[in-house]
């Protein structure tokens, strides 16, 4: 199949398929007589794997490691577990950060009973944060 077809089947953009090829995450496809890239089911499976891993938030380096491990089905999954555990820790950190951010926004919003922007607590808090971040 041509690049547009595999992009559509995987839900990736054409540029992303090319990028993954350039990064060595997929093998270079064969070329047609007209120099079109011709992808096969192996490319489709690998690109689907990459897309799913990226959708789950794995970094490109983690995806590279997971692909390397997946290429050796008889290997131990200890390394896969370690990659997953590090990713879970990162997700937990992000969730904690988001919880703090949400609490701040709720607090600012609940303090605001202003009728004009000049009296708005949220705008005031954002302005104060900006001022303190620039020093």
């Amino acid at each position: 199949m041509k690049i547009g077809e595999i992009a559509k089947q995987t839900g990736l953009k054409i540029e992303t398929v090319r990028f993954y090829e350039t990064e060595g995450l997929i093998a270079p496809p064969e070329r047609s007589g007209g120099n079109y890239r011709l992808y096969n089911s192996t490319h489709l499976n690998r690109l689907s794997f990459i897309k799913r891993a990226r959708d789950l938030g794995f970094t490109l380096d983690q995806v590279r490691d997971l692909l390397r491990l997946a290429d050796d089905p008889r290997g131990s999954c200890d390394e896969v577990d370690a990659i997953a555990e590090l990713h879970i820790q990162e997700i937990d950190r992000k969730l904690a950060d988001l919880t703090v951010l949400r609490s701040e926004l709720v607090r600012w919003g609940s303090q605001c009973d202003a009728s004009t922007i000049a009296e708005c607590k949220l705008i005031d808090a954002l302005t104060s944060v900006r001022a303190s971040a620039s020093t």
Side-chain angles (χ1 to χ4, degrees):
M1 69 192 96
K2 292 181 183 174
I3 195 166
E5 296 170 66
I6 200 159
K8 185 176 182 178
Q9 285 192 32
T10 57
L12 295 168
K13 294 181 180 178
I14 290 172
E15 296 81 16
T16 305
V17 174
R18 287 187 188 126
F19 173 75
Y20 290 152
E21 180 184 342
T22 302
E23 286 292 309
L25 297 176
I26 62 169
E30 292 185 26
R31 297 283 185 147
S32 70
N35 206 29
Y36 289 104
R37 290 174 169 91
L38 298 176
Y39 296 89
N40 57 35
S41 61
T42 302
H43 292 108
L44 178 63
N45 291 337
R46 199 158 177 98
L47 287 168
S48 296
F49 181 105
I50 295 166
K51 172 130 178 27
R52 182 70 178 134
R54 295 292 286 152
D55 287 348
L56 291 171
F58 286 100
T59 66
L60 207 53
D61 285 337
Q62 289 171 325
V63 171
R64 188 174 279 108
D65 288 341
L66 290 169
L67 285 168
R68 177 183 50 79
L69 294 165
D71 287 341
D72 182 14
R74 288 175 277 154
S76 168
C77 70
D78 289 346
E79 198 172 344
V80 174
D81 293 342
I83 292 168
E85 181 56 38
L86 284 174
H87 190 53
I88 290 167
Q89 290 173 10
E90 181 63 14
I91 290 168
D92 288 343
R93 185 196 61 74
K94 287 178 182 178
L95 285 171
D97 289 348
L98 287 171
T99 300
V100 169
L101 289 173
R102 184 185 186 288
S103 296
E104 283 294 305
L105 285 172
V106 167
R107 184 173 61 80
W108 291 339
S110 67
Q111 293 175 352
C112 189
D113 56 0
S115 59
T116 65
I117 296 294
E119 301 168 330
C120 179
K121 300 292 185 199
L122 179 57
I123 296 295
D124 184 51
L126 291 171
T127 302
S128 298
V129 170
R130 247 187 313 171
S132 66
S134 65
T135 58

